[in-house]
Amino acid sequence: MLLGSCAGTCLKTAAEALNASCPKQVMEIATMESVSYEDKALIVNYSIDDSNVSIDSLTSVLDVVKNKVLVRLQDSDDLKDYISTCREAGAIIKHIYTGKESGKSFTIELSDEDMQNILNGKVVPMQAADSESASEVEETSRSEERFSRNAETD
């Protein structure tokens, strides 16, 4: 665990290193385009191949998409150091997803509470019935699986 005083500098250095590897395909339909650290936020920009899944369908079930991201982060031991360092720096994590064809975008922002829950193993996978738009989840589940499958980093 890093000391709080160097956490911001460490995150900026980590963001620069990750950014140097961009663009990087991280999921079947997503490419990590850039990573930066600014204004106490670790910002990860992704492009989405929205010929396979519409940005509108993902934003209509954003609570489910965010839950899948949180679960994936909780399951990744490699990313927990970054999450812990973000908490120490008082930073948030923003994942910005933009459709290649549509140009539409959505943001998933991880708050301190989200990060604490990830680190403490308290994120519970959401079932389709838990969402207000359960029928929409059913319709987009195949696309969502492509979105979340085989992710190495966020």
Side-chain angles (χ1 to χ4, degrees):
M1 195 174 270
L2 301 170
L3 297 175
S5 61
C6 80
T9 303
C10 294
L11 284 172
K12 184 173 175 119
T13 301
E16 290 169 355
L18 287 169
N19 191 58
S21 69
C22 292
K24 179 181 179 181
Q25 181 115 18
V26 294
M27 292 173 262
E28 185 177 332
I29 65 166
T31 301
M32 183 171 60
E33 298 291 349
S34 65
V35 181
S36 61
Y37 180 73
E38 51 193 68
D39 299 324
K40 296 197 93 161
L42 184 67
I43 302 168
V44 185
N45 290 290
Y46 298 94
S47 61
I48 298 291
D49 179 1
D50 52 353
S51 64
N52 289 325
V53 59
S54 80
I55 297 298
D56 290 336
S57 69
L58 292 172
T59 58
S60 71
V61 291
L62 197 54
D63 55 336
V64 175
V65 175
K66 181 176 180 177
N67 179 262
K68 287 186 179 274
V69 169
L70 295 175
V71 168
R72 189 174 60 236
L73 291 170
Q74 180 175 269
D75 292 343
S76 174
D77 291 333
D78 295 338
L79 297 175
K80 288 184 180 171
D81 285 339
Y82 289 109
I83 295 167
S84 180
T85 304
C86 282
R87 286 199 71 225
E88 289 176 27
I92 59 170
I93 302 173
K94 289 184 181 181
H95 295 247
I96 302 171
Y97 300 90
T98 305
K100 287 181 183 179
E101 292 181 17
S102 68
K104 293 180 179 180
S105 66
F106 66 92
T107 300
I108 294 177
E109 188 171 301
L110 278 63
S111 67
D112 183 67
E113 180 180 1
D114 291 329
M115 290 183 273
Q116 182 176 1
N117 287 337
I118 290 167
L119 294 171
N120 292 331
K122 293 186 176 182
V123 178
V124 177
M126 182 183 288
Q127 302 301 316
D130 295 339
S131 172
E132 292 178 12
S133 40
S135 62
E136 293 177 28
V137 173
E138 290 279 331
E139 293 173 19
T140 61
S141 64
R142 278 178 277 204
S143 297
E144 178 56 30
E145 285 304 313
R146 286 193 303 259
F147 179 77
S148 63
R149 193 178 326 139
N150 299 325
E152 294 177 8
T153 62
D154 280 8

